[in-house]
Amino acid sequence: MIRLQKSIIWIGTFLCCSSMTFAQKAERQNVREGNDLYQGEKYTEAEIAYRKSLEVNPRSTEGTYNLGNALFKQQKYPEAAEQYQLIAGREEKMLETSEGKARLAEMYHNVGNIGMHNKEYAKSVEAYKQSLRLNPKDDETRYNLALAQKLLQDQQNQQQEQDQNQDQNQDKKEDQQKDQQQQNQDQQQQQDNNKQDKTQQQQQQNEQMSKDNAQQMLDAFLQDEKDTQEKVKKAQAQQQQRRRTEKEW
């Protein structure tokens, strides 16, 4: 019974090892195929081969790194950046070997190039610096770093100028709004003044008309009074004349 159990355990271990060996062999085969295609500048086919290697072993550093490079060569920058990000997450382990350190330096160099393509110069500067920390002798990375720093400075100056122009335009717009508001207020005030003057003139005219009417009425009354008095005087004179005539008779 004990021998049978040992045999079962041994068989299981053998099958497990065989399965792992087969997977490793398939992974290496796909990576080698991808490398050959990459060297032949057949980057699309190389991408397919590297993806096959990752289907077998998703944690394959070599497959991930090479896939990122194949995508980079096809200018599939967002996808390449995703693979490089995975590599950056394994940096501590990769720094244990000189080969891993060299790959990290190349990876950061490519990340810097992606930043240059996207005009994200600040990211490029940091990536190139990281690459040079790992490989200080890389003159190409050093040149790219200097270029990225120059482009970043130009970009910042341009942004600063745009911000200043925007502030000036905003101030100008606010001044124009204030001028327009003041002009509207002045126009409204002028209209109010004109309206007030017109009202005052109308009131004065009405008052003058009232005075004229009152004077006319007074003149008419006095004239009537004068006419009445003259009539009375005339009547009295006629009466006196009749009396004298009667006396004479």
Side-chain angles (χ1 to χ4, degrees):
M1 185 66 178
I2 294 176
R3 290 180 180 178
L4 180 59
Q5 288 178 343
K6 287 183 179 180
S7 297
I8 292 174
I9 294 173
W10 183 84
I11 292 172
T13 303
F14 174 77
L15 292 175
C16 181
C17 291
S18 298
S19 178
M20 292 177 60
T21 301
F22 177 78
Q24 291 173 352
K25 183 177 179 180
E27 176 192 346
R28 288 194 298 269
Q29 182 178 353
N30 287 321
V31 170
R32 284 197 298 268
E33 180 182 353
N35 291 344
D36 292 339
L37 292 168
Y38 185 92
Q39 292 299 325
E41 298 184 357
K42 298 179 180 179
Y43 303 119
T44 302
E45 291 83 349
E47 174 191 347
I48 295 173
Y50 293 138
R51 290 190 183 279
K52 287 182 179 179
S53 71
L54 290 173
E55 289 177 0
V56 178
N57 180 14
R59 295 287 301 172
S60 172
T61 299
E62 187 174 5
T64 302
Y65 172 76
N66 290 353
L67 175 59
N69 290 341
L71 292 168
F72 180 85
K73 287 293 186 179
Q74 297 176 75
Q75 298 183 356
K76 297 179 179 180
Y77 298 123
E79 296 177 67
E82 290 180 4
Q83 300 303 315
Y84 291 147
Q85 186 65 34
L86 294 175
I87 294 297
R90 305 168 192 172
E91 181 173 343
E92 184 176 354
K93 183 177 181 180
M94 294 181 68
L95 289 174
E96 295 176 356
T97 63
S98 58
E99 182 181 2
K101 187 175 180 180
R103 285 184 175 180
L104 279 173
E106 293 175 1
M107 183 270 294
Y108 281 116
H109 177 92
N110 287 349
V111 170
N113 289 345
I114 292 174
M116 294 284 279
H117 173 78
N118 295 331
K119 296 183 179 180
E120 297 175 341
Y121 303 122
K123 292 182 179 180
S124 294
V125 168
E126 293 304 317
Y128 290 140
K129 285 182 178 180
Q130 187 65 20
S131 179
L132 286 173
R133 291 188 187 101
L134 297 169
N135 184 11
K137 297 180 180 181
D138 190 338
D139 292 334
E140 182 179 357
T141 301
R142 185 173 291 103
Y143 171 81
N144 286 5
L145 173 60
L147 178 60
Q149 289 173 329
K150 176 63 170 57
L151 292 174
L152 175 60
Q153 185 63 46
D154 293 343
Q155 187 182 61
Q156 291 174 341
N157 292 339
Q158 184 179 6
Q159 184 62 45
Q160 184 177 3
E161 183 178 355
Q162 289 177 352
D163 292 341
Q164 290 177 350
N165 292 335
Q166 186 176 0
D167 291 340
Q168 291 176 356
N169 292 335
Q170 182 65 27
D171 292 340
K172 184 177 180 180
K173 183 178 180 180
E174 291 177 356
D175 291 339
Q176 289 176 346
Q177 290 176 346
K178 289 180 180 179
D179 292 341
Q180 183 64 39
Q181 184 177 5
Q182 184 62 43
Q183 184 178 357
N184 292 337
Q185 290 177 353
D186 293 341
Q187 290 178 351
Q188 184 63 39
Q189 184 65 38
Q190 184 63 34
Q191 291 175 358
D192 293 342
N193 293 338
N194 293 338
K195 185 177 180 180
Q196 185 176 2
D197 292 341
K198 187 175 180 180
T199 301
Q200 290 177 352
Q201 291 176 0
Q202 185 66 36
Q203 289 177 350
Q204 292 175 356
Q205 291 176 357
N206 292 337
E207 291 176 358
Q208 185 63 36
M209 290 177 62
S210 298
K211 289 180 180 180
D212 293 342
N213 291 337
Q215 186 63 43
Q216 290 176 359
M217 293 176 63
L218 178 59
D219 292 343
F221 173 77
L222 293 175
Q223 185 65 38
D224 290 343
E225 182 68 19
K226 183 179 180 181
D227 292 343
T228 302
Q229 290 178 357
E230 288 179 354
K231 289 179 180 180
V232 171
K233 288 179 179 180
K234 187 176 181 180
Q236 289 177 351
Q238 290 177 354
Q239 186 176 5
Q240 290 178 358
Q241 182 65 30
R242 284 195 300 268
R243 286 177 180 176
R244 284 194 297 268
T245 302
E246 288 177 355
K247 287 179 178 183
E248 291 177 357
W249 285 98

